[in-house]
Amino acid sequence: MTTPTVLRPHAEDQYADELAVLAKHDDRPRPPGWRLSPWAVTTYILGDASHPGGVITPKYIGPRRIVEVAVATLATDRALLLLGVPGTAKTWLSEHLAAAVSGDSTLLVQGTAGTAEEAVRYGWNYARLLAEGPSREALTPSPVMRAMAEGRLARVEELTRMPSDVQDALITVLSEKTLPIPELNEEVQAAKGFNVIATANDRDRGVNELSSALRRRFNTVVLPVPASAEEEVEIVSRRVAQLGRSLELPETPAGLEEIRRVVTVFRELRSGVTSDGRTKVKSPSGTLSTAEAISVLTSGIALAAHFGDGVLRPSDVAAGIVGAVVQDPVSDRVVWQEYLETVVREREEWRDFYRACRDAG
């Protein structure tokens, strides 16, 4: 019996060869506890087609300076907060930074309204606690505690989704670089190499705002939406191809024309104006992020491969676009119909796309 492969390998496993190549050719200074130098980490994130050890594929497409600031922050005693609207690759960048710096992206705390303080500090194995009393053996370390002890990066996703008292458990960790265990009259001191990468959603402002004391412990880097349509098309094309291989979808032509259409629709509805700047359009309630465009196109490729002729066509992406745009069945449907009739219908080269979207809606 063969062991099934995992659906989504961790970054350090999926790109192990590239990380090994970078480490082999990396002769620059490395901060204590880092697997690579800051320069090599940046090269891993942004890619390098002419690297002497072989092609390093880009993991993030965006301004180089943003990545450099993020990497430089992690080499200091300040934590890193990646802030941006949904779909700007905050989690993706966080994972790859942890993989490149620590060789381990799994020390993760997922922030939700129900996240308990134990997820940041520590918990207890209550069977051992009752049987033996408080001891190190009965203690269950959090990912943050493990990262401190091992000198690695801890990741905190959706920081502003966590209750304020749970957020504040990070203050001592980030300022004093220590985690007290009063039950044992002990503490865990952070080994060199420890730091925290947190992500937060621009649209979550007002959910659980960060206290000024906690915000001061972070250096905030804002991840922008793709600057141009061409940049977004490149991001979507790369990620769709990666997902297709990961999901072992039958080989399907890239369908660049359909990718451009989906990206154009999302950008126009997001910005409230057509790409030529001539027509204002209403924006729906959803975010219509790059991540959602990737999801629409991946689903379209699956439809084309399994139920079509293997070529990505407008009918394969139409239902996904309608589903992404029409989040509110009343107001968003009006916005979509107006955009369809006043913008899409008037584009002669989009007639097949217009008919497919009209039928899907």
Side-chain angles (χ1 to χ4, degrees):
M1 180 178 177
T2 59
T3 303
T5 57
V6 297
L7 182 60
R8 187 188 182 283
H10 297 303
E12 59 270 21
D13 298 325
Q14 187 173 358
Y15 297 96
D17 292 343
E18 291 187 16
L19 290 168
V21 164
L22 285 165
K24 181 179 179 181
H25 291 82
D26 187 12
D27 57 0
R28 293 173 181 257
R30 305 181 188 184
W34 283 40
R35 298 290 186 91
L36 300 172
S37 68
W39 182 269
V41 172
T42 303
T43 301
Y44 168 75
I45 298 295
L46 295 175
D48 184 358
S50 58
H51 191 275
V55 174
I56 306 299
T57 58
K59 318 304 180 299
Y60 174 78
I61 297 174
R64 180 180 184 87
R65 197 59 176 171
I66 285 180
V67 177
E68 290 175 342
V69 170
V71 173
T73 296
L74 294 173
T76 70
D77 64 345
R78 288 177 66 83
L80 173 65
L81 175 62
L82 299 176
L83 184 68
V85 298
T88 46
K90 299 183 295 297
T91 298
W92 182 253
L93 181 56
S94 165
E95 179 184 359
H96 283 284
L97 283 170
V101 171
S102 299
D104 185 357
S105 64
T106 64
L107 298 174
L108 171 68
V109 177
Q110 180 61 58
T112 68
T115 300
E117 193 172 336
E118 287 80 2
V120 174
R121 300 179 71 242
Y122 53 85
W124 296 97
N125 179 328
Y126 286 102
R128 298 196 69 165
L129 184 65
L130 291 172
E132 305 169 7
S135 66
R136 272 298 184 116
E137 291 70 29
L139 186 144
T140 305
S142 70
V144 175
M145 178 182 276
R146 286 182 54 205
M148 293 178 72
E150 298 168 13
R152 300 178 185 271
L153 294 185
R155 299 167 54 210
V156 181
E157 289 294 315
E158 303 291 353
L159 180 60
T160 51
R161 288 274 172 185
M162 295 163 55
S164 298
D165 58 328
V166 180
Q167 293 178 13
D168 288 344
L170 284 169
I171 292 178
T172 302
V173 169
L174 297 181
S175 60
E176 304 298 327
K177 301 298 186 287
T178 185
L179 182 57
I181 310 173
E183 297 90 342
L184 303 179
N185 196 28
E186 295 180 16
E187 65 179 11
V188 174
Q189 291 184 302
K192 289 183 177 181
F194 166 73
N195 212 329
V196 173
I197 308 174
T199 66
N201 190 331
D202 254 356
R203 294 209 168 193
D204 281 346
R205 287 178 179 171
V207 177
N208 289 304
E209 290 281 6
L210 300 185
S211 66
S212 59
L214 183 55
R215 186 175 285 276
R216 286 197 304 271
R217 271 70 181 182
F218 283 99
N219 187 26
T220 302
V221 172
V222 178
L223 298 187
V225 296
S228 66
E230 289 303 316
E231 185 177 295
E232 190 161 2
V233 167
E234 183 182 356
I235 293 170
V236 172
S237 299
R238 285 182 179 276
R239 190 70 184 118
V240 166
Q242 289 172 347
L243 283 172
R245 290 192 295 270
S246 174
L247 298 171
E248 298 186 23
L249 293 174
E251 195 67 34
T252 301
L256 188 58
E257 183 179 359
E258 300 310 323
I259 292 176
R260 288 186 184 279
R261 282 174 173 168
V262 172
V263 168
T264 299
V265 169
F266 277 31
R267 289 181 69 87
E268 290 181 336
L269 288 171
R270 247 185 358 233
S271 63
V273 65
T274 54
S275 54
D276 57 12
R278 295 179 180 178
T279 307
K280 290 186 176 181
V281 298
K282 295 176 183 176
S283 296
S285 60
T287 57
L288 299 183
S289 66
T290 306
E292 288 168 296
I294 292 168
S295 177
V296 167
L297 285 156
T298 304
S299 297
I301 288 175
L303 281 171
H306 294 299
F307 302 104
D309 58 3
V311 178
L312 188 64
R313 302 187 185 280
S315 57
D316 299 316
V317 299
I321 287 182
V322 174
V325 174
V326 184
Q327 299 291 315
D328 184 306
V330 179
S331 62
D332 288 347
R333 189 168 295 280
V334 172
V335 170
W336 173 243
Q337 290 298 329
E338 184 176 314
Y339 175 79
L340 200 60
E341 298 299 329
T342 60
V343 177
V344 177
R345 185 178 184 181
E346 298 304 313
R347 291 173 173 160
E348 185 66 33
E349 69 278 15
W350 283 31
R351 285 300 175 88
D352 53 346
F353 183 75
Y354 166 74
R355 287 192 295 270
C357 289
R358 184 190 59 192
D359 293 345

